Amino acid sequence: MLNSHWKYLLTLAFGFSSVMVQAQCNGNPDLCGKRYDQVSYLTTHNAFNAEEDGFNFPNHTYGLTRQLNDGVRGLMLDVYDEAGVATVYHSIALLGTATLESNLTEIKDFLDANPNEVVTIIFECYADFELVETAFINTEALDYTWEQPLGEPWPTLQQMINENKRLVVLSDRNDAAPGENWYHYVWDFAVETPFSNSSNSDFTCEFNRGDENNDLFILNHFATDPNVGVGRTDLSELANEFDFFVERAFQCWNELGKFPNFPTVDFYELGQTLAVVDSLNSSGETLGMNTVFQSSFSIVQNPSNGLFRIELGSQHTNATFSIHDTSGKMILNGGLRTITNIDLRSFPQGIYLFSVINDLGSETIKLVNLSH
């Protein structure tokens, strides 16, 4: 049985309490105070290209509505000009098409029904801005779009929610009309890893398009068939497996110094893609029981390969710690010195709750263990 302290912590960490629902931002109350560029969003490559919607050689099993309901918050859409109508398809229209307006209607319906959610569209665009804008106007999706001044700090998710401007639009075509500041040229704001991968062994942490100093980071994490360039479930299942995916995400974060805002996948329902995004968003978070330790308590390298160095100010006497897994089971406890080394290498990869307690109060931190 979990005692009341740990029931509260787990509720705070993973959002199981229905009371917390209205205070959540993208499903997690801990994200409300984070800036847009400090949050990771599960993103789907060629999001429209779904078997459920009749597309051939799909990248996904389910369409946009199911994707959004399942937790996807970034959607990559390819849009073309078909006889004066903004139309989404992948390379060849004969494989299946849909109007951009139909896609935007699904997105707007989701935003209407979920007032605490922030969604991003990343366009690969072969249509003029005017066609794209018409689709946004006709569906009233334009009302939700956020305008981000170049070079200015991004807002927090809570600020976007309060203003009800919860749709960020990025496009690789830089042809917006003057004053249409909701249509952001993606390479002014983001940098990416290579997207032309024919096997999972091709993945690298190298920069591809965009300036490495840009705020946003697109981690392309999908491999396509080398012959026809379409998604493959076998490659996706391996790529999306938790250990492989989370290790690459944190490796690229550490190597490049760029937080993966848009980890982008095919067949998102295969593997543990949402768990990886949760690990990214949970990394190093203080859960906020109080602020007793915040100025003098630190963890060196979190996430880590299982070795954590805990540094505690000398003014905190009689401090103890305990570590629980996400089921609430305590796996380690003991006293804390000014410097204490914690070894989780013998425990499974994942998130652990590290609680520090002294006579003045407590703090709880999420540790991300990447050991094998």
Side-chain angles (χ1 to χ4, degrees):
M1 295 290 290
L2 294 177
N3 63 34
S4 59
H5 173 74
W6 282 104
K7 285 182 178 178
Y8 176 70
L9 282 178
L10 288 172
T11 297
L12 198 62
F14 297 101
F16 290 152
S17 172
S18 60
V19 176
M20 297 292 290
V21 169
Q22 292 304 314
Q24 292 179 355
C25 301
N26 279 24
N28 186 342
D30 296 331
L31 301 183
C32 294
K34 288 190 174 184
R35 297 193 316 267
Y36 172 83
D37 61 319
Q38 295 174 325
V39 177
S40 186
Y41 312 89
L42 179 60
T43 303
T44 44
H45 167 235
N46 292 338
F48 59 88
N49 193 31
E51 180 181 9
E52 180 181 55
D53 291 334
F55 284 81
N56 297 301
F57 299 106
N59 293 93
H60 299 283
T61 304
Y62 306 116
L64 299 191
T65 297
R66 172 72 179 267
Q67 291 179 33
L68 291 165
N69 287 333
D70 285 349
V72 171
R73 292 296 176 267
L75 304 165
M76 288 188 173
L77 305 178
D78 296 0
V79 60
Y80 294 80
D81 180 349
E82 287 292 308
V85 177
T87 305
V88 296
Y89 59 85
H90 182 46
S91 300
I92 302 172
L94 292 175
L95 298 178
T97 67
T99 64
L100 177 59
E101 286 192 14
S102 68
N103 277 196
L104 292 178
T105 296
E106 291 187 74
I107 295 167
K108 180 183 180 295
D109 287 347
F110 175 81
L111 292 171
D112 288 345
N114 297 275
N116 295 315
E117 303 299 312
V118 174
V119 173
T120 301
I121 297 173
I122 304 174
F123 281 124
E124 181 179 325
C125 199
Y126 304 93
D128 290 341
F129 167 74
E130 287 77 11
L131 282 185
V132 175
E133 181 186 38
T134 296
F136 274 84
I137 293 172
N138 289 346
T139 59
E140 300 181 351
L142 188 62
D143 296 341
Y144 280 120
T145 56
W146 176 265
E147 296 184 6
Q148 178 61 27
L150 189 61
E152 295 294 322
W154 286 90
T156 64
L157 294 195
Q158 189 63 64
Q159 288 172 314
M160 299 173 77
I161 289 167
N162 290 347
E163 295 186 31
N164 204 24
K165 298 293 185 179
R166 298 179 285 115
L167 181 60
V168 177
V169 180
L170 305 168
S171 175
D172 67 353
R173 185 159 176 155
N174 190 18
D175 67 338
E180 300 293 348
N181 298 323
W182 61 273
Y183 197 70
H184 307 93
Y185 181 50
V186 64
W187 305 128
D188 281 342
F189 291 90
V191 63
E192 67 166 1
T193 57
F195 58 85
S196 297
N197 304 299
S198 59
S199 72
N200 295 339
S201 62
D202 291 339
F203 292 151
T204 74
C205 293
E206 298 174 358
F207 287 126
N208 189 30
R209 295 175 295 180
D211 189 311
E212 63 185 73
N213 295 313
N214 288 342
D215 293 334
L216 305 175
F217 179 34
I218 300 169
L219 181 69
N220 289 313
H221 191 76
F222 53 87
T224 54
D225 188 286
N227 298 312
V228 290
V230 298
R232 281 177 42 180
T233 54
D234 56 341
L235 295 178
S236 297
E237 188 165 17
L238 293 172
N240 297 349
E241 194 272 332
F242 181 85
D243 291 354
F244 181 81
F245 193 178
V246 80
E247 184 170 349
R248 181 179 180 232
F250 281 109
Q251 177 188 352
C252 291
W253 183 3
N254 291 332
E255 286 185 13
L256 304 175
K258 306 293 291 184
F259 178 71
N261 301 106
F262 303 106
T264 304
V265 301
D266 282 339
F267 297 102
Y268 71 94
E269 77 279 5
L270 302 178
Q272 295 80 40
T273 56
L274 285 168
V276 171
V277 170
D278 182 67
S279 295
L280 289 166
N281 283 328
S282 299
S283 178
E285 281 182 356
T286 299
L287 297 185
M289 292 290 291
N290 53 56
T291 57
V292 172
F293 294 95
Q294 284 186 352
S295 63
S296 57
F297 169 52
S298 63
I299 299 177
V300 178
Q301 193 169 352
N302 181 30
S304 86
N305 63 355
L307 294 174
F308 298 88
R309 174 185 169 98
I310 313 300
E311 298 181 355
L312 188 66
S314 58
Q315 70 270 34
H316 295 293
T317 59
N318 301 320
T320 62
F321 77 91
S322 60
I323 300 177
H324 289 66
D325 64 22
T326 55
S327 73
K329 178 183 178 181
M330 186 170 70
I331 61 171
L332 288 175
N333 67 340
L336 279 178
R337 299 178 295 277
T338 304
I339 295 176
T340 304
N341 294 312
I342 303 293
D343 189 350
L344 296 183
R345 289 176 296 180
S346 62
F347 295 94
Q349 282 188 346
I351 296 173
Y352 293 84
L353 300 179
F354 178 90
S355 184
V356 187
I357 305 169
N358 75 358
D359 293 339
L360 299 177
S362 67
E363 289 286 358
T364 298
I365 301 292
K366 294 177 184 178
L367 301 182
V368 181
N369 176 24
L370 299 180
S371 64
H372 291 287

